[in-house]
Every structure is written in C-alpha cells, then in structure tokens.
C-alpha cells in the first residue's frame, strides 16, 4: 500500500486530479510542481492513511512511517540540507488538507525540526541569530498550542509580558536576547502544561504533528464547519510535509496571499496582499495588516511579474479563479499553495460570464460554477444612497452588502441574542474558527484587525455575509462590552450599520434598499432558462410581489394564497361578519362586501403578470384563524358589529378544533359554504373579463385546496365552472381558464388517477403533504425535529428539503397515476420546497413541469433547475 506521494524538482507522484487521496492542498502542490511552478519539495500522506489511522484506533498504518522517512530523505536531497542536522538543518511545515477546503479549520505547524542543536545550524545558515530565535519561539508556540492543546493565549501572554516590560508594541522590536529568554519561558510553560519536556527529537516532533493533523479532523471546529457546509465526516484529511522556506529573512523576503481575480467583484486583475519580512501565519492570522500587492511591484518588480505569469498559467491550466499563497526567500519566489478561490456571488457570476467570453469555459460549466444558494447574496440589501448617515469609522470592505443590528462582542452572545430573535452585529478584534456559530447568526461582522484575507473576511464572504475588517480606528473592549471611536462610545445593544461594500461603519440604523443586479446576472439567468426543463413560477399574493417575481424571471404565479388578502382591517371586518352570519343570505351579504377588494387584487396581479398564468387558490385556512383571540379584541369586535360578546365567544367555541390542520379547512369549507368559493371565483373571473375587454391577456388557473377525494373536486369544479361560465356570459368574453387542484394529502396522491380525470393541473402542496404523509405537524415539529437531526435519526428537516424516500415516493406515484388518466395534466409544486435546490433537482427527476417559490428565491430556483438538467 502506498501512503506517501512525493513532489519536488519539477516532478510529482500525484496530480491535481487526486483530491480524494491527497486532499485539495496536496493535489494542488503536486499539480503546481508538475506545471513547473516553483514549489518547495515535500510529500503528502494520503487521506487513506488518515482513515486507516482512525480505523486502527489512532495508530499509523503499517509501513506508513517508513515511507515518511524515505520521502524525507528525498526532500533532504532536493533541498540540500538534513532533518535534525546541527549544521544545515531541514525544517518542514506540517499541514492538514482535506478534499474540500475548510479555511482555518485544520491545523498547521511551521518550522518543525527545530531544537537547541538545529537552532545553531539555522543561525549558521542564515547568519541571523534574531531570526532563528524568533522562528524557534514561533515553533514552540504552534507546536504547543496545536499539537498538545496548550491555550495559545498563555504563549501570547508571555510575549506581551516581555514586550510590556521593555515598553514596546511590536514583535519586531524585540531583540535576540529577549527572544532567547522567551524561548526558555516557553519551554517551561510547555513542561508545566504537559508534564513533559519539549520534544527535542525532530522525528518525535514529526510523529506528534502528523498525529495532531489527523486528530484535528475530528476537532470541534472541523466538525462544526463540516456540519454547516454539508461535508461528510468520513473523508479524512491528508497531511502535507513541505520543506520550509522563510519569508522573514530580511527586506528581500516576504510572504503573501492572493487571488488571480478580485474575489469581491470578479474583476480581472491580480488581487493580493503581502507582508515584507514575515512568515505566512502573520498574514492569515491578521496579526499584522498586510500591504497591497502594488507595493511588491515597487519593491521587487521581477518577482511581481513572475507572480503574474504564474497566475496566468494557473488560470489557463485550472480554467478557474484561484487563490494562492507564496513566500519570497531572499529574492527567490516559492508558491506554497493554490486552490480554487472562494468568491462572492457577484464575483462568481462575473468570472463565469467573463471566462465564457475568454473561451476558457463553456456556458454549461459557467452555470455549474455558481451555487444556486449563492445568488441570495446578490439579493442582499444595500444602504439607501439618499439616506444621511453618520459614518464613524472605515475598515476594509471584506464582503459586500449592508447589515443593521445591535452590537455584541462575543460569538456566544451573538448566538444567545439571535436565539431571542434579535438582529446582531458581531464586533471583535479578530475572529477565529471558534466564532463560526456566532458569525453564522449575525447580520454582519466587524473586526478591528486583519486584512482582506483574514479569517473574518474569508468566512464572511463564504457565508455571503456583510463584513468589514481591519477597522483600526475602533478600540474594542471585548470583556467590558463596548468600543470607542474618537470620543464616541458604542455599547453592547447599541445599533450600528455596516457597509460591506465600502467598509464604512455607521452609527445607528441606516435605511436599506435592495441592490441593483449586475448585467452578468441577467446573462446567467438567460443561460439558466435555456438549459433547464423545469419552469419557475413564484408564490405571490400582491401586485408588488408579482412584479418582483416577474422581474426575476418567473414565468407565472404558481400559488396566490387568497386568504392573505383578508387581513387588511377593512376586509377582516367584512370577513368576520361573514363568519358570524347565521344564514346563507347574511353570509352572501357579507361576501358581497369583500368581492370588490378581491377583484381589485386580482386585477392588480393579473396586470403585473402580463398574460402569464396565475394560479389562484381558493380559501384554505380554518375560519377560527380569522377571529380575535383576546377578550379585549372580542369586545372591540362586539361593539363594531353590534353582536354580543357572548355570541362571538360561542361562535369561537364552535369553530375551535383539536387538530385544525386536519379540520374544517380547504375545500371542506368550500363544500359546506359554497357561497365563499363562489364569491372568489366571481372575483377572479370578473377581474379577468374586465382586463380581457381592455385587450389584456389573462390566464387564470383556479386551484382547489386540500382535496382528498375525487368527489370533493367534482363538486367544487362544477361550482367553479358554472360560476365562471355565468361571469363570462355576463361580460360576453371568453377567458382561457383552468381548474385544478393541490395535491397535499396522501389519499389524493394515491388516487391521483381518479383526481386527474377532473383536474387540468396538480400543484403539490408539499408543506401539507409532508405533514400528512410524515405525520408531522408543521407547527409542533420544532419541539423534537432539531433533536432528530442532531442525533442523525433523520438526515434533514423534511420541511426544508423534500423527504424523497417517503413524501417523494408518494409524489412520484401521483405523477405516474395522474398522467396515466390525463396525458395533458400539468404538474407543479408550490410548497416551500419549490425554492430548495435539492428538492428542485428531485422535482426535475420525477418530471414536474414547474416549481413555484417565493419571489426572491426565483433566481436561485432558476439556476437550480438548470443544474438539475445539466
Ligand atoms: C402546501 O401545503 O404546501 C401549500 C403550499 O399550502 P399552505 O402552505 O398554504 O398550506
Ligand atoms: Mg397547504
């Protein structure tokens, strides 16, 4: 069994294709080596070794260590130095690297191989005693905190102590003597914390570090990240051991990170930052704020142009935007890493469209490059440009959009406040992977330190969350929970607004507006439509929502819930009058008052949809939902209507249901109170006829909810057709209308062949269908579903993603049976699942004609529909 893959001197045993085995980082290093890009020599221990390690109860698989030693010899030969050598020592980095990039989640140890002996060699080699001791103390810190879990802060406290005593601010102001003393302190700390001496044998160090990399796969942070990103737990991580090169060997050295294109806007320009005389961790940890890459161009033009050429080569090879890490050691450039770069949705879209224009990729690839959910970011609000705002500070614009919220100073507080329904902005000096949970629930993130590639920036962008970093003007007192800017103090709970596009920090709550979409967005939507089979409609109940839906390219309304129209104060009055009526006549009178409102709504919606089909669902919820709940409200109603409190209360009592979701609702209302549906059909058809007379095309689709038995549909259809014909006769126009039903009960699905004979279309109401097939109450499942999901009893919340094995099978049965008796049956879905990419893929698979989702999800659904087909 081969557990180790070598790379160096222009040749690698692995390739870029071998991500499963070598992890993203390892595969990238191999590929870059093979491309002739300068990479320090090293080797990758496979993910298979990691899985074996866990299978064997945390033991290296047989032969792995011997392979490591053999490969280490090859690295020694290539770099011309020796591991553990007192004269010319080889030092290595040990880094994790899983198949999927998990920024900041896994552990890295740099400068491994240092001990009191090899330190002499390093001094001898570099003629720089200060640098050597600085390297040594960094190594002990990393090794101590990562491999043996000593709290990193304890090392930092010792460092601060030395700095304070000396009265200096920066690490770079410490001299050799200070660092030497610090090394001794660190070793003591290590012994105190672990009960053992700091390991001086480099091979022992290496063994421990490899184990730590493997172990970090099941570290809390990694597990959380995987859960948030849906990455399986059983992949394991590879371990990369690479010869160290030093970016901190003077002013002709340095280190940097960057992207081949701008990861925020997608603009085609080399986008990077670098720090002279520094090691990589300084940049990533955001300890020092890095310089713009233009500075490198000034200082080392030859290196800059070499970097640019490498970026071009990488892009042409990978046909994608990449992120890179590089180090310059005494004027020689080394690439340390490359992988497909994370980007905002805006950038993803622009890069995809640009790369099609550049003929790097085709349209299908371009579509597949954009994650449907990512589009949500584009639909994020921005600050109203007309608003007067008080800008109190400016940081780096790390992730675009705007966010308003109450300030909190810890990830934990963010989670607790968000739990209570508060919108919060997480403000920290810098973030670390432990903060992920808090970042996920915050509206936005603000940090005082770090650059565009700091943890907060990378994670914020990935989450599509407004984020401002490196805002040095603010002084944060995390413990005391306030920050100051000049003479302004902002305390926990105070409102601020962030502008992630400009980096501005604004006092108070600024008004937000929805963004304008970049031109490339429409290009992508056009391509998506071209490549998909499923059509996308929207769920919309108002003309305004209808307009949003159409602007986003919805090809119709798949669900207009008419009950939402009754809650306006004027209308609810009439509606309650209807409910409280004792006779049909009284009810009809009350309904007559409501009809003009409904008609007006339909006219508005039909007009907005400009001849596209509009599915209107007749009244669905149980009547008690429209009646007041508190005594006060009942009293007001009693006065308003001149009906006694007693009578209202007794009516409420009779309407009370033990299980209202299975009670007197949907078509059961229509059957027992036909005048209600009759009024609604009249309103729909009158609206349609009035517009038709003005030569405005309207396609109403009248939808009967909660049908379980074909006879229910028959009765309701007869009523609908009779009413519709009467209206058309009266207006002397013909409207192309349809009558169909929702499929949201198991019985309806199973008897779909019978129902299809009466219906022109089915729309799966997967909210109710999930409820009735799964026997889960939509309203009560929250009490135990999270537990089920946490304990992996079920994979996913079936109200978010269709339960394909259960509910999905029933849908499939309904599709087959329905089409068997009605070839022309049109099939759609209008439950919340209609906007969920995974469910959309399923809907495509079972052959639905369309999905319908909330207006702002239309773009997501359109792209998901294309992905389903591609
Ligand atoms: C459904 O049940 O999926 C549906 C769309 O209807 P509602 O959510 O209004 O019950
Ligand atoms: Mg329903």
């Amino acid at each position: 069994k081969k557990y180790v893959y070598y790379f160096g001197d222009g040749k690698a045993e692995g390739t870029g294709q071998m991500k499963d085995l070598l992890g993203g980082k390892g595969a990238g290093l191999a590929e870059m080596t093979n491309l002739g890009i300068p990479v320090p020599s090293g080797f990758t221990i496979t993910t298979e070794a990691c899985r074996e390690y866990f299978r064997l109860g945390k033991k290296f698989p047989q032969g792995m260590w011997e392979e490591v030693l053999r490969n280490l010899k090859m690295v020694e030969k290539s770099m011309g130095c020796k591991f553990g050598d007192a004269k010319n020592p080889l030092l290595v980095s040990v880094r994790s690297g899983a198949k999927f990039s998990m920024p900041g989640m896994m552990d890295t140890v740099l400068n491994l191989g240092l001990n009191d002996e090899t330190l002499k060699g390093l001094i001898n080699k570099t003629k720089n005693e200060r640098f050597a001791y600085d390297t040594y103390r960094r190594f002990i810190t990393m090794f101590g905190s990562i491999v043996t879990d000593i709290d990193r802060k304890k090392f930092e406290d010792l460092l601060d102590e030395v700095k304070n005593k000396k009265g200096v601010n920066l690490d770079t102001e410490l001299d050799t003597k200070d660092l030497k003393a610090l090394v001794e302190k660190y070793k003591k700390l290590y012994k105190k914390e672990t009960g053992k001496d700091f390991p001086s044998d480099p091979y022992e160090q290496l063994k421990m570090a490899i184990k730590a990399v493997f172990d970090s796969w099941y570290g809390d942070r990694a597990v959380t990240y995987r859960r948030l990103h849906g990455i399986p737990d059983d992949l394991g991580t590879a371990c990369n051991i690479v010869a160290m090169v030093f970016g901190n060997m003077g002013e002709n050295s340095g280190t940097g990170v960057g992207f081949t294109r701008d990861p925020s806007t997608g603009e085609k320009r080399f986008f990077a930052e670098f720090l002279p005389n520094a090691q990589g961790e300084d940049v990533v940890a955001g300890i020092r704020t890095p310089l713009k890459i233009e500075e490198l161009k000034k200082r080392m033009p030859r290196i800059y142009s070499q970097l640019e050429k490498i970026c071009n080569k990488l892009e042409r090879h990978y046909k994608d935007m990449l992120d890179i890490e590089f180090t310059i050691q005494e004027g020689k450039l080394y690439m340390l890493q490359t992988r497909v770069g994370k980007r905002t949705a805006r950038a993803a879209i622009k890069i995809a469209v640009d790369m099609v224009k550049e003929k790097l990729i085709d349209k299908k690839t371009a579509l597949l490059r954009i994650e449907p959910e990512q589009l949500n970011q584009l639909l994020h609000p921005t600050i109203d440009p007309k608003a007067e705002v008080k800008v109190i500070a400016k940081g780096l614009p790390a992730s675009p959009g705007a966010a308003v919220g109450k300030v909190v100073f810890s990830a934990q507080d963010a989670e607790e406040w968000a739990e209570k329904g508060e919108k919060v902005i997480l403000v920290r000096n810098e973030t670390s992977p432990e903060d992920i949970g808090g970042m996920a629930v915050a509206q936005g993130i603000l940090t005082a330190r770090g650059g565009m590639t700091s943890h907060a920036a990378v994670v914020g962008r990935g989450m599509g969350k407004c984020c401002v970093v490196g805002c040095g003007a603010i002084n944060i007192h995390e413990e005391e929970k306030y920050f100051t800017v000049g003479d302004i103090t902002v305390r926990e709970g105070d409102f601020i607004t962030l502008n992630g596009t400009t980096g501005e920090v604004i006092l108070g709550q600024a008004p937000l507006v929805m963004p304008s979409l970049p031109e490339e967005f429409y290009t992508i939507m056009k391509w998506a439509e071209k490549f998909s089979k499923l059509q996308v409609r929207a769920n919309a109940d108002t003309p305004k929502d209808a307009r949003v839906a159409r602007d986003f390219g919805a090809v119709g309304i798949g669900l207009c819930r008419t009950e939402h129209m009754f809650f306006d104060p004027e209308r609810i009055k009439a509606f309650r009058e209807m409910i409280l009526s004792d006779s049909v006549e009284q009810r009809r009178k009350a309904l007559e008052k409501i009809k003009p409102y409904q008609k007006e709504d339909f006219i508005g919606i039909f007009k907005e949809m400009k001849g596209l089909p509009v599915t209107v669902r007749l009244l669905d919820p149980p009547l008690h939902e429209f009646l007041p709940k508190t005594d006060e409200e009942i009293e007001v109603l009693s006065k308003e209507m001149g009906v006694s409190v007693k009578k209202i209360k007794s009516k409420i009592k009779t309407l009370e249901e033990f299980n209202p979701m299975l009670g007197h609702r949907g078509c059961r209302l229509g059957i027992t109170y036909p005048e209600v549906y009759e009024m609604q059909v009249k309103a729909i058809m009158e609206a349609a006829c009035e517009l038709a007379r003005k030569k405005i095309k309207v396609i109403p689709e009248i939808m009967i909810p909660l049908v379980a038995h074909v006879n229910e549909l028959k009765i309701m259809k007869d009523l609908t057709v009779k009413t519709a014909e009467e209206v058309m006769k009266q207006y002397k126009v013909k409207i192309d209308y349809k009558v169909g039903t929702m499929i949201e009960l198991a019985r309806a699905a199973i008897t779909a062949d019978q129902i299809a004979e009466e219906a022109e279309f089915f729309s799966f109401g997967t909210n109710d269908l999930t409820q009735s097939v799964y026997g889960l109450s939509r309203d009560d499942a929250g009490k135990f579903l999270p537990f089920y999901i946490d304990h992996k009893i079920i994979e996913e919340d079936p109200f978010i993603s269709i339960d394909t094995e259960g509910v999905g099978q029933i849908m499939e049965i309904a599709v087959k049976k329905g089409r068997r008796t009605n070839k022309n049956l049109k099939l759609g879905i209008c439950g919340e699942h209609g906007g969920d990419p995974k469910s959309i893929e399923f809907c495509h698979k079972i052959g639905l004609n369309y999905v319908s989702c909330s207006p702002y999800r239309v773009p997501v659904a359109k792209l998901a529909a294309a992905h389903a087909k591609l």
Side-chain angles (χ1 to χ4, degrees):
K1 188 109 248 168
K2 183 174 174 62
Y3 288 118
V4 179
Y5 284 72
Y6 180 78
F7 54 86
D9 304 318
K11 276 234 291 290
E13 294 182 319
T15 70
Q17 305 305 310
M18 295 163 73
K19 278 195 188 150
D20 285 336
L21 196 62
L22 304 180
K25 208 171 275 166
L29 286 166
E31 193 78 354
M32 280 205 288
T33 306
N34 286 332
L35 281 172
I37 286 167
V39 174
S41 308
F43 53 91
T44 305
I45 308 174
T46 63
T47 55
E48 192 180 7
C50 174
R51 292 192 294 270
E52 273 297 292
Y53 168 82
F54 284 114
R55 204 181 58 81
L56 296 169
K58 299 200 179 188
K59 283 200 188 65
F60 289 158
Q62 209 193 341
M64 185 200 101
W65 180 246
E66 288 69 28
E67 266 189 81
V68 167
L69 295 179
R70 244 189 340 268
N71 278 272
L72 199 57
K73 282 265 163 307
M74 287 156 72
V75 178
E76 287 177 342
K77 197 157 163 245
S78 157
M79 300 300 285
C81 44
K82 270 198 152 58
F83 198 54
D85 191 75
K87 286 206 191 75
N88 187 9
L90 167 72
L91 302 184
V92 296
S93 67
V94 180
R95 327 178 76 178
S96 63
K99 178 177 180 184
F100 300 105
S101 129
M102 295 160 61
M105 290 295 119
M106 306 286 281
D107 302 321
T108 299
V109 180
L110 300 175
N111 304 314
L112 188 132
L114 268 181
N115 59 24
D116 292 352
E117 289 304 304
T118 54
L119 181 76
K120 286 182 208 149
L122 188 64
I123 296 170
N124 179 44
K125 198 168 153 174
T126 61
K127 311 278 178 275
N128 187 341
E129 206 182 8
R130 188 195 172 281
F131 156 63
Y133 274 102
D134 190 40
T135 306
Y136 200 12
R137 64 102 190 162
R138 284 168 194 267
F139 170 53
I140 301 174
T141 305
M142 278 201 175
F143 191 91
S145 60
I146 287 169
V147 179
T148 62
D149 264 346
I150 301 170
D151 185 355
R152 195 181 174 111
K153 192 160 175 303
K154 293 191 173 149
F155 289 103
E156 279 161 13
D157 287 348
L158 286 175
L159 176 63
D160 284 343
E161 222 173 76
V162 174
K163 284 200 281 196
N164 288 342
K165 217 153 138 199
K166 198 168 181 181
V168 297
N169 271 329
L170 300 173
D171 300 2
T172 45
E173 290 171 294
L174 297 177
D175 62 23
T176 310
K177 223 175 87 214
D178 304 323
L179 293 167
K180 223 179 209 171
L182 200 56
V183 164
E184 287 315 309
K185 283 188 187 181
Y186 278 8
K187 282 190 190 161
K188 276 206 197 99
L189 174 67
Y190 185 94
K191 174 130 199 203
K192 189 170 143 237
E193 294 286 323
T194 65
K196 292 192 189 117
D197 283 325
F198 188 78
S200 62
D201 177 2
Y203 291 95
E204 183 59 26
Q205 293 174 357
L206 183 59
K207 241 185 213 159
M208 289 172 75
I210 295 171
K211 271 175 174 287
V213 164
F214 284 169
D215 289 340
S216 72
W217 176 255
Y218 282 112
D220 291 346
R221 294 180 285 159
V223 172
T224 307
Y225 186 89
R226 287 201 292 273
R227 189 166 43 78
L228 279 170
H229 290 81
I231 299 172
D233 268 336
D234 56 3
L235 300 177
T237 179
C239 178
N240 299 290
I241 290 138
V242 185
M244 284 298 300
V245 287
F246 297 98
N248 54 348
M249 284 178 73
E251 286 305 311
N252 63 347
S253 300
T255 185
V257 291
F259 297 87
T260 54
R261 301 189 188 209
D262 187 328
S264 277
T265 64
E267 200 187 322
K268 192 177 179 193
R269 63 178 177 121
F270 180 38
F271 182 92
E273 301 171 322
F274 100 114
L275 266 180
N277 199 11
Q279 270 200 319
E281 60 160 332
D282 295 332
V283 183
V284 177
I287 294 166
R288 281 167 61 188
T289 302
L291 307 176
K292 285 199 182 124
I293 200 68
E294 285 70 29
E295 197 58 33
L296 179 70
K297 196 174 182 174
K298 272 189 231 149
R299 295 180 190 203
M300 298 181 227
R302 194 181 50 79
I303 298 276
Y304 180 86
S305 95
Q306 193 188 351
L307 255 180
E308 262 191 336
K309 283 203 192 89
I310 289 173
C311 283
N312 269 329
K313 192 171 194 171
L314 285 171
E315 272 207 350
R316 261 178 289 129
H317 181 72
Y318 284 99
K319 305 191 187 308
D320 205 342
M321 184 272 255
L322 302 155
D323 78 10
I324 55 164
E325 273 183 47
F326 60 92
T327 284
I328 304 155
Q329 176 175 303
E330 299 192 297
K332 183 164 167 30
L333 174 69
Y334 290 96
M335 303 301 289
L336 302 187
Q337 174 174 318
T338 191
R339 58 190 170 189
V340 169
K342 294 206 179 286
R343 61 201 81 177
T344 61
R346 186 170 289 264
I349 285 177
K350 178 154 174 60
I351 291 169
V353 173
D354 283 354
M355 285 191 167
V356 170
K357 282 189 210 147
E358 291 163 33
K359 299 207 164 45
L360 276 176
I361 55 174
D362 61 16
K363 287 178 185 168
K364 284 186 188 176
T365 310
L367 287 172
L368 290 170
R369 286 273 170 85
I370 305 158
E371 273 309 310
E373 289 287 354
Q374 231 189 346
L375 293 178
N376 272 328
Q377 282 180 38
L378 282 186
L379 315 167
H380 273 185
T382 50
I383 295 167
D384 185 347
K386 290 193 286 288
E388 288 219 352
V389 295
K390 184 172 162 92
V391 176
I392 54 172
K394 200 165 171 192
L396 300 172
S399 180
V404 180
K406 291 181 178 173
V407 170
V408 293
F409 292 93
S410 77
Q412 201 188 337
D413 285 341
E415 288 189 76
E416 281 167 18
W417 288 46
E419 182 80 5
K420 286 183 284 183
E422 298 277 9
K423 290 192 185 323
V424 298
I425 304 275
L426 179 60
V427 181
R428 300 197 48 79
N429 275 318
E430 60 212 2
T431 63
S432 70
E434 285 95 315
D435 296 331
I436 285 263
M439 296 168 83
V441 297
Q443 303 296 308
I445 300 151
L446 170 63
T447 71
R449 297 195 206 130
M452 291 291 274
T453 41
S454 63
H455 179 264
V458 171
V459 174
R461 222 176 277 133
M463 289 180 173
K465 188 149 292 196
C466 168
C467 179
V468 174
V469 300
C471 187
I474 65 172
N475 267 306
I476 304 181
H477 304 259
E478 281 176 2
E479 305 268 294
E480 296 84 11
K481 301 189 175 184
Y482 70 92
F483 73 78
T484 58
V485 197
D487 52 8
I488 297 168
T489 301
V490 177
R491 291 176 207 285
E492 180 180 55
D494 289 353
F495 271 106
I496 60 167
T497 303
L498 299 181
N499 186 340
T501 314
T502 61
E504 286 168 342
V505 181
I506 291 156
L507 200 60
Q509 309 178 62
L512 305 185
V513 289
M514 292 316 282
S516 67
L517 292 161
E519 180 194 316
E520 289 87 2
F521 170 84
Y522 295 99
T523 309
I524 288 291
M525 285 294 108
K526 214 165 60 207
W527 293 348
E529 221 166 272
K530 194 171 128 198
F531 286 107
S532 50
K533 197 166 136 249
L534 268 180
Q535 292 195 321
V536 178
R537 294 192 182 191
N539 295 353
D541 320 320
T542 62
K544 191 168 146 261
D545 284 353
R547 165 158 333 157
V548 173
R550 211 173 35 89
D551 283 349
F552 282 142
V555 296
I557 287 179
L559 174 64
C560 171
R561 290 178 165 106
T562 47
E563 61 271 14
H564 291 174
M565 302 170 166
F566 293 136
F567 282 96
D568 173 274
E570 260 311 296
R571 307 175 183 197
I572 189 101
K573 220 170 111 190
F575 202 73
R576 285 171 172 169
E577 214 176 298
M578 189 281 289
I579 296 173
L580 293 173
S581 305
D582 292 320
S583 66
V584 179
E585 281 66 46
Q586 261 186 340
R587 259 204 302 277
R588 281 194 185 279
K589 240 169 60 210
L591 286 166
E592 272 309 309
K593 290 190 200 161
I594 303 167
K595 199 180 85 189
Y597 294 122
Q598 286 243 292
K599 192 164 135 186
E600 201 183 315
D601 288 331
F602 294 136
I603 287 179
I605 292 171
F606 289 151
K607 261 191 185 155
E608 284 298 345
M609 293 313 286
K610 299 206 163 86
L612 295 171
V614 176
T615 308
V616 183
R617 178 178 73 184
L618 304 183
L619 186 67
D620 182 51
L623 296 181
H624 72 87
E625 284 191 13
F626 299 92
L627 288 177
K629 311 239 155 22
T630 65
D631 281 349
E632 273 165 314
E633 288 172 324
I634 292 173
E635 236 159 88
V636 173
L637 183 67
S638 151
K639 285 214 185 78
E640 251 177 31
M641 299 212 163
V643 179
S644 72
V645 167
K646 197 160 152 248
K647 185 172 168 200
I648 296 176
K649 283 197 170 164
S650 107
K651 193 78 195 177
I652 292 174
K653 191 90 196 129
T654 40
L655 289 175
E656 213 172 68
E657 295 184 318
F658 284 109
N659 199 343
M661 276 311 191
L662 299 179
H664 195 182
R665 57 170 283 219
C667 66
R668 300 161 191 176
L669 279 175
I671 287 178
T672 47
Y673 301 115
E675 52 283 357
V676 178
Y677 276 18
E678 192 189 306
M679 176 281 287
Q680 291 196 293
V681 173
K682 270 191 189 152
I684 295 166
M685 293 309 289
E686 286 179 15
C689 289
E690 277 181 25
L691 291 173
R693 275 188 178 173
K694 292 185 193 151
K695 301 266 179 296
I696 297 172
K697 191 175 159 205
V698 180
I699 308 180
E701 300 177 337
I702 298 169
M703 180 155 77
I704 315 294
L706 215 78
V707 165
H709 196 288
V710 64
N711 287 344
E712 293 173 310
L713 182 59
K714 259 189 201 151
I715 299 169
M716 288 298 94
K717 188 180 153 192
D718 286 349
L719 173 80
T720 304
V721 171
K722 188 173 142 265
T723 313
E725 297 298 328
E726 271 168 23
V727 174
M728 289 191 294
K729 208 156 124 200
Q730 189 191 328
Y731 278 81
K732 297 197 184 62
V733 284
K734 272 224 94 53
I735 300 288
D736 178 16
Y737 74 101
K738 287 189 167 65
V739 185
T741 180
M742 294 191 71
I743 301 290
E744 43 189 349
L745 293 173
R747 195 186 188 285
I750 300 282
T751 59
D753 45 349
Q754 296 171 32
I755 293 180
E757 288 183 300
E758 299 297 327
E760 289 171 280
F761 64 89
F762 283 177
S763 179
F764 287 98
T766 42
N767 304 333
D768 273 308
L769 192 61
T770 300
Q771 183 164 255
S772 68
V773 169
Y774 221 126
L776 275 176
S777 156
R778 289 199 229 179
D779 302 312
D780 306 317
K783 294 190 185 118
F784 57 90
L785 256 190
F787 182 93
Y788 271 46
I789 292 156
D790 279 351
H791 290 76
K792 299 203 178 334
I793 298 168
I794 58 175
E795 263 307 300
E796 242 173 333
D797 184 336
F799 288 110
I800 293 174
S801 225
I802 290 176
D803 156 46
T804 52
E805 300 174 342
V807 179
Q809 268 204 57
I810 300 260
M811 290 171 71
E812 242 180 307
I813 292 173
V815 169
K816 286 210 184 93
K817 284 194 152 184
R819 287 231 168 95
R820 202 180 298 153
T821 54
N822 183 349
K823 274 201 321 298
N824 300 322
L825 188 68
K826 200 156 61 159
L827 296 160
I829 172 178
C830 62
E832 287 312 300
H833 306 86
D836 166 61
K838 251 196 264 171
S839 308
I840 292 172
E841 194 184 334
F842 178 76
C843 292
H844 171 85
K845 209 182 88 202
I846 63 170
L848 298 196
N849 303 96
Y850 70 88
V851 298
S852 189
C853 57
S854 67
Y856 281 105
R857 281 200 81 81
V858 166
V860 176
K862 287 181 79 160
L863 187 53
H867 279 203
K869 172 94 185 297
L870 291 172

